[in-house]
Amino acid sequence: MGEGQLDVAEEDLSSLNALDAELEAAIESGDETAFRAALHALLDNVRKVGKALPADSLEPSELILPPADAHIDEVRSMLGDEGLIPD
């Protein structure tokens, strides 16, 4: 996201996984409009539920999310077997 680190609580991961699944489906279909909407929904939700860490904090990250202006091919290359948000 390029916005620093956020701490996301374990209980918020299921809702993020649902948004991640929508993003994956949009990428698989090649639908740019659905991709853009799904990416923004995922990023917005992470910002909403995530707690910002101090700027000078450097914690190990399990999730690295693309920026809002990422191209569909960039995000496709970031996807693992579990999408952007591991189960």
Side-chain angles (χ1 to χ4, degrees):
M1 289 179 14
E3 300 174 22
Q5 289 186 300
L6 299 172
D7 183 33
V8 176
E10 190 77 30
E11 59 267 15
D12 292 316
L13 291 179
S14 63
S15 65
L16 295 178
N17 274 314
L19 293 168
D20 188 34
E22 291 176 23
L23 179 63
E24 286 183 77
I27 290 171
E28 288 174 14
S29 72
D31 183 337
E32 181 72 31
T33 302
F35 161 75
R36 189 73 36 215
L39 177 60
H40 285 262
L42 176 62
L43 296 177
D44 289 346
N45 198 283
V46 168
R47 289 181 193 110
K48 179 181 170 187
V49 301
K51 176 184 171 195
L53 297 176
D56 61 349
S57 175
L58 185 57
E59 302 293 324
S61 296
E62 293 182 28
L63 311 173
I64 299 177
L65 298 177
D69 63 349
H71 188 271
I72 193 170
D73 290 331
E74 290 177 90
V75 179
R76 182 181 287 121
S77 70
M78 293 177 72
L79 293 175
D81 292 338
E82 296 183 344
L84 294 173
I85 311 290
D87 292 333

